[in-house]
Amino acid sequence: MLALIGRRVLIALPTLFLVSLFVFALQRALPGDPFLVIAGEERDPEVIARLRHLYRLDDPVVVQFFAWLGQVVQGDFGRSLRTGEPVLGLIWQKLGVTVQLAVASMIVAVGIGLPAGIIAARRKDTLADYTASAVALFGLSIPHFWLGIMLILVVSVELKWLPASGFESIFVDPKASIERLIMPAFVLGGGLAAFIMRHTRSAMLEVLRSDYVRTARAKGLDEDTVVNRHALRNALVPIITLSTLLFGELLAGAVLTEQVFTIPGFGKLIIDAVFNRDYGVVQGVVLCTAIGFILMNLLADVLYVLVNPRLRSG
């Protein structure tokens, strides 16, 4: 297990370097100068020059990149050009919000998608299979922002069951936090549940046709035991891959959903930073997102070994 983690870390280092280089180059290629806004209406050239020197933007681009990378290695992501706050502090503030939304969405996605996929595979070409496939197609097709607006209109405005928007930390007020997370988690998790359902159905159908499943049935084992103890464990490998990647996407920020429900997460942070040409924030958010994806892939590799003991020998 430690050797596996070590190999993944070695692969991750050049990946993070390339991501850093790519986002840094794209940031510098964007038109516009953030200091033209920061300097005020008069836009005094001396003030702009002083600000550019303060943030080392008058250095050659290569020097800027390696200076920033050296700070990142030491745990310093720089400061926001707009507010002057440490970028890492801004990221930590928003990360807690996005993680809570991502976890709630994945609970909804797995809770709906996994059982639906298993049922659809066990009852292939029946009404249950067709219904699950139709619901999955609906979940894949419907836009998140439209579903979010409709839920606010019906559930919050008409029925007054849940708050329409806002966010509350689960560590401060668990009840208020859950109430505010239900609708956005359902909007995001419903779409992801469709992906998980389709992949679960496909993986289960393939496994249920395998020789060892036929052998288990021939031994007289009941269908629940065959499905839950033999088939599902092997079918979980591709589902784990999909789930970790989807969770990584959620950590990157569900921009539209966060905007609809006024959730101050990664989505709002990255949108504001891009429009304001806040180089340090954009670079920090993208780098943290890349790290999140790498950690999710590492978690998937570890879960493979835990779920399927045959992989331990490999």
Side-chain angles (χ1 to χ4, degrees):
M1 184 71 73
L2 292 178
L4 172 66
I5 295 175
R7 288 196 300 269
R8 292 296 183 267
V9 170
L10 291 177
I11 295 173
L13 293 178
T15 302
L16 290 175
F17 176 80
L18 292 175
V19 169
S20 304
L21 180 61
F22 187 67
V23 68
F24 192 92
L26 285 181
Q27 275 286 99
R28 295 307 185 269
L30 287 174
D33 188 341
F35 296 113
L36 293 179
V37 179
I38 297 173
E41 295 182 359
E42 296 183 359
R43 296 181 178 179
D44 188 341
E46 292 184 5
V47 174
I48 294 176
R50 192 178 300 115
L51 288 171
R52 293 184 67 84
H53 179 73
L54 178 63
Y55 287 96
R56 302 187 64 173
L57 293 182
D58 54 354
D59 292 337
V61 176
V62 176
V63 176
Q64 293 180 38
F65 172 69
F66 282 103
W68 172 74
L69 191 62
Q71 290 179 330
V72 170
V73 172
Q74 300 175 38
D76 181 7
F77 281 60
R79 291 183 174 272
S80 168
L81 298 181
R82 296 285 297 173
T83 65
E85 297 180 64
V87 172
L88 195 57
L90 291 173
I91 291 173
W92 276 116
Q93 291 175 14
K94 305 301 181 182
L95 183 61
V97 176
T98 300
V99 166
Q100 289 185 50
L101 177 60
V103 170
S105 301
M106 285 306 300
I107 291 174
V108 173
V110 175
I112 296 175
L114 189 63
I118 295 172
I119 293 172
R122 292 184 61 177
R123 302 180 181 179
K124 184 175 178 294
D125 296 331
T126 64
L127 180 61
D129 184 18
Y130 296 143
T131 302
S133 298
V135 173
L137 182 61
F138 177 79
L140 290 172
S141 304
I142 190 169
H144 287 172
F145 71 89
W146 182 87
L147 180 58
I149 293 172
M150 291 300 103
L151 284 176
I152 291 174
L153 179 62
V154 175
V155 178
S156 298
V157 177
E158 297 294 335
L159 300 177
K160 303 185 185 304
W161 286 351
L162 296 171
S165 61
F167 176 81
E168 186 68 54
S169 173
I170 197 167
F171 302 106
V172 175
D173 190 340
K175 182 176 181 295
S177 177
I178 293 173
E179 289 177 347
R180 285 169 169 79
L181 282 176
I182 287 176
M183 288 197 294
F186 180 78
V187 169
L188 288 173
L192 301 183
F195 285 103
I196 295 176
M197 176 269 162
R198 292 172 68 89
H199 279 74
T200 302
R201 179 183 182 276
S202 177
M204 286 294 296
L205 286 175
E206 182 178 351
V207 171
L208 289 173
R209 290 193 293 264
S210 59
D211 292 336
Y212 66 88
V213 171
R214 284 194 291 266
T215 302
R217 286 170 173 161
K219 289 180 178 180
L221 296 177
D222 62 272
E223 190 65 16
D224 289 339
T225 302
V226 171
V227 171
N228 297 329
R229 295 189 57 184
H230 296 276
L232 181 59
R233 172 172 291 188
N234 291 279
L236 280 178
V237 172
I239 300 167
I240 289 173
T241 303
L242 176 66
S243 298
T244 52
L245 291 177
L246 292 176
F247 189 77
E249 290 183 7
L250 290 174
L251 291 179
V255 178
L256 290 178
T257 303
E258 289 183 0
Q259 291 290 335
V260 169
F261 291 98
T262 321
I263 298 175
F266 256 15
K268 180 174 174 52
L269 179 64
I270 190 66
I271 290 296
D272 291 344
V274 170
F275 277 112
N276 293 324
R277 303 294 187 270
D278 201 340
Y279 297 150
V281 175
V282 174
Q283 291 160 190
V285 170
V286 173
L287 186 59
C288 288
T289 300
I291 293 173
F293 270 101
I294 290 171
L295 291 177
M296 288 300 101
N297 279 279
L298 178 60
L299 177 62
D301 291 334
V302 173
L303 290 177
Y304 294 159
V305 177
L306 296 177
V307 169
N308 194 338
R310 292 183 302 174
L311 298 177
R312 295 173 190 170
S313 59

